[in-house]
Amino acid sequence: MATVPVAAVEPLARPAPDVATGGPGRGRFRNSIAVGLFMGPAAIVLGAIVVYPTVDTIIRSFFDKSGNTFVGTNNYRTLFGTTEMLIAIRNNAIWVIVFPFLVTFAGLVFAVLTERIRWATAFKTVVFMPMAISLFATGVIWRIVYETDPHRGVINSAVGTIVDAVHPPGLYALPNIKPISGLAAQPDGSMLSNNTVQPGGTLKLGLTGILPENIPPGAQDAHAPSGASGGVSGAVWRNFSPGGQIGVIGNGEKGLPGMHLTLLRDGNGSVASTTSVADGSFRFNDVSSGSYRVSVDSSNFRTPFGGTNWLGIQSLTPTSGLGSTARSLLTIPLVDISEIIAMLWIWSGFAMVVIGAGLAALNREVLEAAKVDGANEWQTFRKITLPLLRPVLIVVFITMIINVLKIFDIILGLVPDSSQHEANVIALQMWHLYSRFDYGLSSAVAVVLFVLVVPVIFFNIRRIRG
Amino acid sequence: MSNITFDHLIKRYTPGAAPAVNDLNLQISDGEFLVLVGPSGCGKTTALRCLAGLEDITGGRIIIGDRVVNDLPPKDRDIAMVFQSYALYPHMSVYENMAFSIRLRKLPKEEIDQRVREAARILDLERFLQRKPGELSGGQRQRVALGRAIVRSPSAFLMDEPLSNLDAKLRVQTRAEIARLHQRLETTIVYVTHDQVEAMTMGDRIAVMREGILQQVGTPQDLYQTPNNLFVGGFIGSPSMNFLTGTVSSDGGSVRLKIESLDIALAGRVAELARTRGNGSSLTIGVRPEHFDTAAPGAADTMRLPASVDVVEFLGNEDLIHTTVAGKDVVAMVPSVRGVKVGDQLELHVLASLVHAFDPQTELALTGSDGARPAPPPAVPAQAPAPAAGTD
Amino acid sequence: MTAIAAPAPEAPSAPRWAHLRRILKSTPVNVLLVAVGLLWLVPTVGLLVTSFRPAADYFASGWWQAIAHPAVLTVENYRNILHTGGIGDALITTVLITVPATLLVVLIASLGAYALVFLRWPGRDWVFVLLVALMVVPLQMALIPVATLYGHLGLYGTIPGVVLYHVAFGLPFAIFLMRNFYSGIPKDLLEAARIDGANEWMMFRRIVLPLGMPALASLAIFQFLWVWNDLLVALSFLGAYPHPPLTVNIFNKLSEFGTSIDVISTASFISMIIPLVVFFAFQRYFVRGVLAGAVK
Ligand SMILES: Nc1ncnc2c1ncn2[C@@H]1O[C@H](COP(=O)(O)OP(=O)(O)O)[C@@H](O)[C@H]1O
Ligand SMILES: [Mg+2]
């Protein structure tokens, strides 16, 4: 956790009581010594490491790289002219718009639901636990979760399981499989016989590009098909053997079983379907007279789900036709969404605990009064609980805005180098410039970040001082 | 040892605001049990805290013994304080709580132990010495607070409403306990309360305050019998004194007081005072409920007030009757044997010597022929309370 | 009479029905939350299992398949990394930063909060307002000037420099938290102590500090986790340090994410162990700290 919930707003901060008995006989002098001793260490450290540097950074942002030449607002102009910075601002904007809502909502749902289960403590512990883990380690953890290969990434594995159940991969999902004799590849991925055939006729459909180990077990040697009266028959086989000939079923050439085939009436669409048997032969019975072709279905070659690149930069919004600046502003790369999910994993527990405490602090009698007044559970929640929780929800919301403005470590941990440019954020940009020793520009970025949190500062002060 | 003197004490919390304590002059002699009483917010606590050294004072002097302590920090004033909340240190045992102050003074270990055990013995706390305050009942905590004060053997105890967090029964018990403690230790106690019953039962002398201003100081009997003004008259005694204001009309022999449509004959001392004020002047008379009776006492200087009974509260030996006299509420306490009923029209009798007279403008009690502030000669014989018994 | 007698036969069955209805009603919620709970565990478990698998397995099959065959799990990665990876040194650096940064913040904040609550001085309220403002100032705001300052003082690239930075940026929240807690201490206690003869230091040491322990515990846990988990400050000031702290150590390996997954997952898990232990051991205080910071 790189950011403690520092936004830490206390709606009801108690005014410091005047215990502070200056008390008779305690001369101003002795009192100032006490103040100096108690407050001194904090004042020195804060002054030297926080207050003075903050002012200095603001000043430096108007100087050049070396810090010697005053350049006015040049740094800021440079900044807002680079796509790097614009992308960073765009990403922070996405974060601020999306994330606080999601976290507050998740926290609210969890907090309300945990009131109805007996194992609430266990649940809260599990959901709260990520708070102890560093944002950076969280990045690493989720990078494993998001692995593109469904064999490695648990999300893609889950998605793949569903996709493959709906559209099972074909028996012949082989990268190099292709037609070689008697048929030709179609744009839709199927293969269609070159010749037409009448009832009683036969077709030989030869494929190649199949490694021996990819031939389904139990396949037998293919035979030249013999015609069947009133039906269309044929063979689909691996037309490849040492010394074999194209278009001829050679010795030892295997049939391709389990191939899904469709009979198409010329110009009229599908009439029947069948599946090839162990020696690769197939047969459509009771075919009325006419001329037909046979198609090898595309489903035979369908590859299994290959995984989504969750940490990639593919845009979720259409940006074609936009200028480059507009594009950099309006793109929402997928990696942003994936980061947000990982952040939700961390902060939902915080929201849940804070909102849960708010719920627990509600006056039960008010809720009971609403029930007695005839409100059902939803109405009670909507009209009583939610308005009473408002201050707590606002606190969570504000805390999250702060967190998200300063977001940094999780990007470094989660986002692979290839996507870092698209996933850039203000805090990261500042650090990049800092490590390039571009102090003027870097300071300007820090000031931009600072300006963004200033409204929250005023909000907190107003809240805390009542 | 040490007397305590408030000399023109003024305390203002915020500059320009009305002072919380306004020109307080009060002497408390060594060994005395003085109670500061008054309604909430009248400045009692403020006066006590100034005495303790917890507040800077705005003006005047506070003298303990022969030292002006205005600029002395609390620890050097040789006083101990019992707080309303007890202010026990929650993380220390009873023993450590009591030992805290004398440990800070670096007393020898044996003496600390001896003093703490002695205080615990007096207060019957020996069994609880190792407990934390959180593990004690309210009454026990209260005793620890007393114990913490006792071990210091200070020259004065300051107590700020020490009984207000106890239930009614415990309060009566502890009241007696503190009184006994006072007799035993013979140490000055300055005791703050808003409860006049507590004040009356405990104090050697009582100081009544109102809005920062001291109204009257005296023994409980003084305050009961010769209140200085309307406020003290009404504040001391329970139920409160009844007040009726009217216009004096004197024609030769008889002096009468016209209250609305009612016209009552004044008698005795009150008649004299009214006559002195003159015809047409206004006058407030005050009568304590327990001084009324419904049966004719037969004495010459009896005054009679026609009343209609609205409510009767049965208290056992007495009835508390709420009546209307000339459109005003008047409460009277009469023996139950009188059998007063709601709706009765009757006459309330009172001995003129028990009637108090006040100037309604200045609210001061009328005493001499010039109506000046009382130089308190007892206007009423000392045995005056419990008049009902005498006339029964 | 009959009115009372009539429902009697039903009476015993009524509670059973109610019970059943309650169970039926709560089932969807229970199922949903079990699912959410499992979902929340998956990422951490994934890292944990990965760290116990040979690197080659990472490419061969998903970690969840290893759960079915625990035999393939091995502590080899941990043995390797502890001997070769410099993780031991990194761990020591992290501890050397975290422990002083935590203790100093706790000490300085409890003193400062005392001055804010129990001493009366001009400007006290303004200092508090300033602290509230400083609570949200981004760490980045001070990086460059402090780096320059450290350069002059010889603190750049040193552990004390990093400690000081963490102390400074931890203080506003720390003082805020302690102040709120102290404000709840009844003022009578302090006055009693004053009358008992305590001076300012005694009142702090004997009354306020012991009573503030729960808040101090919360604060210490917060600060500990925050510093332990920091990447930015360490990266900025200790990037070139020979034994950088854990987070930086892992960061340096991250560019070979795939091939070094055995080292990365193992190091990541090592970096998480202590925070997780602290979290589970002191969860109560941690939650209290969160709430003190957030809602009171
Ligand atoms: N710390 C304070 N700051 C400002 N005003 C105070 C303070 N303490 C008491 N007061 C005011 O001084 C007056 C007297 O208060 P106090 O002495 O506490 O009354 P009492 O103890 O008789 O109830 C009240 O009007 C009260 O509001
Ligand atoms: Mg008071």
Side-chain angles (χ1 to χ4, degrees):
Chain A
M1 166 188 23
T3 356
V4 195
V6 181
V9 200
E10 182 187 63
L12 297 169
R14 300 185 194 88
D18 263 340
V19 184
T21 63
R26 309 180 30 74
R28 294 252 174 274
F29 181 64
R30 266 175 69 187
N31 193 44
S32 0
I33 289 185
V35 172
L37 289 178
F38 281 96
M39 201 72 224
I44 292 170
V45 173
L46 283 172
I49 310 291
V50 183
V51 178
Y52 156 72
T54 296
V55 176
D56 196 35
T57 295
I58 295 174
I59 295 170
R60 272 171 199 264
S61 73
F62 296 102
F63 282 80
D64 72 347
K65 205 168 168 150
S66 64
N68 296 325
T69 319
F70 182 78
V71 295
T73 56
N74 276 3
N75 287 328
Y76 293 94
R77 270 183 241 163
T78 312
L79 221 54
F80 290 104
T82 57
T83 38
E84 241 183 337
M85 186 65 185
L86 291 180
I87 287 173
I89 291 173
R90 177 252 286 157
N91 282 336
N92 272 106
I94 293 173
W95 277 101
V96 170
I97 292 168
V98 177
F99 187 71
F101 275 107
L102 290 179
V103 166
T104 313
F105 181 75
L108 183 63
V109 170
F110 291 169
V112 169
L113 291 185
T114 44
E115 288 208 320
R116 293 152 189 248
I117 57 170
R118 285 157 185 237
W119 46 287
T121 315
F123 179 83
K124 285 184 178 171
T125 303
V126 166
V127 176
F128 199 46
M129 181 198 66
M131 283 282 290
I133 300 173
S134 70
L135 284 166
F136 180 66
T138 300
V140 175
I141 289 176
W142 278 82
R143 215 154 146 178
I144 298 175
V145 170
Y146 282 133
E147 279 281 9
T148 307
D149 184 345
H151 292 309
R152 289 192 245 162
V154 69
I155 290 188
N156 277 327
S157 170
V159 172
T161 306
I162 295 167
V163 169
D164 291 348
V166 177
H167 298 291
L171 210 46
Y172 298 92
L174 305 170
N176 298 320
I177 193 164
K178 57 177 187 275
I180 188 157
S181 61
L183 74 177
Q186 301 298 307
D188 66 355
S190 63
M191 301 177 190
L192 191 64
S193 62
N194 294 333
N195 303 325
T196 57
V197 64
Q198 320 290 321
T202 63
L203 285 172
K204 287 191 293 180
L205 307 175
L207 283 79
T208 187
I210 306 165
L211 297 175
E213 61 265 30
N214 289 335
I215 301 171
Q220 294 171 5
D221 290 352
H223 301 289
S226 52
S229 67
V232 169
S233 57
V236 50
W237 89 109
R238 177 177 182 247
N239 188 3
F240 179 83
S241 61
Q245 273 186 333
I246 288 171
V248 176
I249 299 178
N251 234 352
E253 291 187 353
K254 297 282 185 199
L256 297 174
M259 203 63 101
H260 297 289
L261 303 153
T262 308
L263 186 68
L264 302 169
R265 185 190 277 274
D266 232 10
N268 254 350
S270 78
V271 197
S273 56
T274 188
T275 306
S276 62
V277 296
D279 61 358
S281 65
F282 61 87
R283 163 183 224 131
F284 299 94
N285 290 322
D286 303 327
V287 179
S288 53
S289 62
S291 108
Y292 298 90
R293 287 176 199 263
V294 169
S295 153
V296 180
D297 294 351
S298 62
S299 67
N300 293 305
F301 313 111
R302 185 155 56 217
T303 51
F305 178 71
T308 301
N309 181 9
W310 296 102
L311 302 178
I313 58 172
Q314 55 278 47
S315 175
L316 299 178
T317 44
T319 51
S320 57
L322 295 174
S324 72
T325 311
R327 190 154 58 224
S328 57
L329 288 179
L330 296 177
T331 303
I332 300 181
L334 183 58
V335 63
D336 275 9
I337 306 304
S338 306
E339 288 163 19
I340 286 173
I341 291 171
M343 272 293 265
L344 272 175
W345 181 71
I346 299 180
W347 286 104
S348 295
F350 167 83
M352 171 189 69
V353 165
V354 173
I355 296 172
L359 273 178
L362 288 188
N363 184 349
R364 296 283 133 181
E365 287 183 2
V366 172
L367 303 183
E368 282 160 10
K371 290 217 176 81
V372 172
D373 283 346
N376 63 27
E377 260 183 75
W378 171 247
Q379 288 166 326
T380 310
F381 179 75
R382 183 70 198 73
K383 303 276 182 200
I384 312 287
T385 311
L386 215 49
L388 289 176
L389 273 183
R390 221 177 89 99
V392 178
L393 298 181
I394 290 176
V395 167
V396 172
F397 201 87
I398 298 287
T399 309
M400 290 308 127
I401 289 181
I402 293 275
N403 273 325
V404 152
L405 283 174
K406 298 179 185 173
I407 188 163
F408 172 79
D409 332 30
I410 193 166
I411 315 276
L412 281 183
L414 179 65
V415 181
D417 292 346
S418 53
S419 302
Q420 288 251 349
H421 181 262
E422 273 297 311
N424 199 15
V425 287
I426 300 174
L428 192 58
Q429 178 65 11
M430 187 267 159
W431 182 77
H432 280 314
L433 293 167
Y434 166 84
S435 41
R436 285 180 225 147
F437 303 103
D438 200 338
Y439 288 168
L441 266 185
S442 180
S443 296
V445 180
V447 171
V448 169
L449 193 56
F450 181 65
V451 167
L452 289 176
V453 302
V454 163
V456 181
I457 291 181
F458 283 107
F459 178 86
N460 278 357
I461 291 175
R462 266 191 46 194
R463 235 183 137 64
I464 287 167
R465 303 187 81 206
Chain B
M1 291 227 326
S2 45
N3 301 313
I4 295 170
T5 306
F6 293 95
D7 179 20
H8 294 284
L9 173 68
I10 296 174
K11 169 65 189 176
R12 237 185 269 272
Y13 282 106
T14 34
V21 173
N22 197 351
D23 196 26
L24 175 64
N25 288 296
L26 181 61
Q27 294 216 10
I28 304 161
S29 43
D30 189 34
E32 189 176 16
F33 194 134
L34 181 108
V35 180
L36 261 177
V37 73
S40 176
C42 73
K44 313 174 295 281
T45 299
T46 304
L48 196 71
R49 289 168 57 84
C50 289
L51 175 56
L54 294 170
E55 303 285 352
D56 283 317
I57 65 179
T58 315
R61 294 185 305 165
I62 296 176
I63 303 163
I64 301 179
D66 47 11
R67 286 189 303 176
V68 175
V69 296
N70 286 16
D71 291 327
L72 229 50
K75 63 178 165 117
D76 298 331
R77 295 190 181 198
D78 195 22
I79 43 101
M81 186 152 168
V82 177
F83 290 81
Q84 181 172 0
S85 64
Y86 313 145
L88 302 181
Y89 310 125
H91 56 300
M92 300 181 190
S93 68
V94 168
Y95 186 99
E96 291 165 332
N97 261 283
M98 295 210 267
F100 186 68
S101 63
I102 46 180
R103 274 186 182 158
L104 287 177
R105 275 196 269 159
K106 305 218 159 36
L107 258 53
K109 251 201 162 59
E110 308 78 53
E111 190 179 348
I112 291 173
D113 191 62
Q114 187 241 317
R115 282 208 202 182
V116 170
R117 290 191 188 282
E118 171 67 9
R121 198 181 53 74
I122 295 174
L123 294 166
D124 197 18
L125 283 170
E126 286 155 303
R127 284 171 300 144
F128 308 118
L129 281 175
Q130 294 318 316
R131 292 216 197 154
K132 296 270 172 70
E135 301 160 346
L136 299 177
S137 71
Q140 290 160 351
R141 282 182 216 175
Q142 212 281 334
R143 296 212 298 278
V144 176
L146 285 176
R148 203 168 60 180
I150 290 175
V151 292
R152 300 183 48 186
S153 45
S155 62
F157 293 114
L158 314 187
M159 304 190 185
D160 189 1
E161 314 232 6
L163 305 185
S164 60
N165 284 335
L166 301 179
D167 64 46
K169 196 169 158 217
L170 211 52
R171 204 175 305 163
V172 174
Q173 257 177 36
T174 315
R175 214 157 72 187
E177 211 166 296
I178 293 178
R180 224 174 301 134
L181 204 64
H182 178 236
Q183 282 163 13
R184 175 182 191 139
L185 301 173
E186 295 181 335
T187 308
T188 315
I189 295 181
V190 183
Y191 186 106
V192 163
T193 180
H194 66 272
D195 178 354
Q196 59 92 22
V197 176
E198 228 171 273
M200 295 291 273
T201 51
M202 300 179 81
D204 293 337
R205 279 197 308 152
I206 299 172
V208 183
M209 288 182 71
R210 178 198 191 186
E211 291 171 9
I213 298 172
L214 181 63
Q215 304 289 308
Q216 186 172 1
V217 191
T219 64
Q221 288 79 10
D222 286 347
L223 298 186
Y224 184 83
Q225 290 163 4
T226 52
N228 266 355
N229 55 30
L230 272 175
F231 175 77
V232 176
F235 189 78
I236 300 290
S238 170
S240 300
M241 188 182 277
N242 298 293
F243 296 109
L244 291 166
T245 302
T247 315
V248 176
S249 65
S250 76
D251 46 358
S254 78
V255 186
R256 310 186 68 83
L257 189 64
K258 260 194 136 95
I259 309 164
E260 308 280 311
S261 57
L262 192 67
D263 195 7
I264 56 172
L266 299 177
R269 198 184 65 98
V270 190
E272 287 309 311
L273 290 168
R275 196 196 310 279
T276 322
R277 276 177 76 76
N279 207 353
S281 63
S282 62
L283 179 75
T284 300
I285 57 169
V287 183
R288 297 195 183 279
E290 59 271 30
H291 292 163
F292 280 122
D293 200 347
T294 54
D301 59 346
T302 301
M303 286 168 35
R304 297 176 170 80
L305 287 79
S308 65
V309 179
D310 302 325
V311 178
V312 178
E313 293 173 21
F314 175 66
L315 299 180
N317 195 35
E318 276 103 26
D319 282 338
L320 195 62
I321 60 177
H322 298 254
T323 68
T324 309
V325 174
K328 303 263 164 51
D329 294 338
V330 168
V331 178
M333 189 139 45
V334 301
S336 304
V337 292
R338 304 280 186 261
V340 176
K341 305 229 163 17
V342 173
D344 285 359
Q345 302 290 328
L346 45 74
E347 280 195 327
L348 293 171
H349 300 250
V350 59
L351 281 172
S353 56
L354 296 173
V355 175
H356 302 263
F358 302 94
D359 180 330
Q361 270 80 51
T362 64
E363 299 194 349
L364 293 178
L366 298 173
T367 47
S369 51
D370 56 351
R373 291 292 307 242
V380 183
Q383 69 274 20
T391 55
D392 201 349
Chain C
M1 279 299 197
T2 46
I4 296 170
E10 274 180 36
S13 70
R16 214 181 307 154
W17 268 114
H19 187 62
L20 197 64
R21 256 221 319 271
R22 228 183 1 256
I23 291 179
L24 281 178
K25 221 177 130 189
S26 66
T27 302
V29 172
N30 274 293
V31 169
L32 178 71
L33 291 191
V34 167
V36 171
L38 289 177
L39 224 57
W40 240 258
L41 282 176
V42 161
T44 319
V45 173
L47 178 78
L48 178 63
V49 174
T50 301
S51 74
F52 282 104
R53 301 178 81 202
D57 284 13
Y58 183 75
F59 299 98
S61 63
W63 55 264
W64 54 94
Q65 274 151 349
I67 295 180
H69 315 283
V72 303
L73 297 180
T74 160
V75 294
E76 200 57 31
N77 294 341
Y78 286 88
R79 200 174 298 153
N80 289 342
I81 199 172
L82 288 178
H83 285 144
T84 58
I87 277 287
D89 292 334
L91 199 61
I92 290 171
T93 304
T94 296
V95 169
L96 286 181
I97 292 171
T98 308
V99 171
T102 303
L103 293 181
L104 280 172
V105 157
V106 166
L107 178 69
I108 298 177
S110 52
L111 286 171
Y114 183 91
L116 279 181
V117 176
F118 299 116
L119 298 176
R120 200 188 292 159
W121 39 284
R124 184 175 74 155
D125 294 343
W126 286 109
V127 167
F128 179 62
V129 168
L130 179 67
L131 283 170
V132 172
L134 292 184
M135 278 201 301
V136 291
V137 170
L139 280 171
Q140 282 86 351
M141 251 342 243
L143 274 186
I144 295 167
V146 171
T148 317
L149 179 73
Y150 281 3
H152 294 313
L153 298 177
L155 283 174
Y156 187 83
T158 67
I159 288 178
V162 176
V163 169
L164 190 59
Y165 204 86
H166 281 304
V167 170
F169 275 87
L171 270 180
F173 174 73
I175 298 178
F176 177 79
L177 188 121
M178 292 316 297
R179 176 193 176 273
N180 279 348
F181 192 86
Y182 286 173
S183 302
I185 296 178
K187 64 172 197 161
D188 285 0
L189 282 186
L190 275 285
E191 292 181 345
R194 198 184 286 290
I195 290 179
D196 277 350
N199 60 24
E200 224 58 74
W201 174 252
M202 283 290 179
M203 297 198 307
F204 172 70
R205 183 64 199 78
R206 305 289 295 277
I207 311 286
V208 173
L209 202 58
L211 290 177
M213 270 309 160
L216 283 183
S218 298
L219 171 60
I221 289 163
F222 250 103
Q223 177 72 7
F224 181 90
L225 290 178
W226 186 27
V227 176
W228 186 281
N229 287 335
D230 161 77
L231 173 68
L232 176 61
V233 180
L235 208 51
S236 302
F237 291 136
L238 287 182
Y241 195 70
H243 315 293
L246 280 170
T247 45
V248 177
N249 182 296
I250 300 167
F251 174 81
N252 290 338
K253 296 180 173 117
L254 213 56
S255 52
E256 307 133 39
F257 183 79
T259 48
S260 303
I261 189 68
D262 50 342
V263 181
I264 290 173
S265 62
T266 310
S268 297
F269 205 80
I270 289 175
S271 81
M272 286 163 44
I273 290 171
I274 292 190
L276 285 177
V277 167
V278 168
F279 172 78
F280 283 112
F282 304 105
Q283 199 182 351
R284 208 159 46 94
Y285 289 105
F286 186 59
V287 169
R288 208 182 290 162
V290 166
L291 295 180
V295 267
K296 185 179 70 121

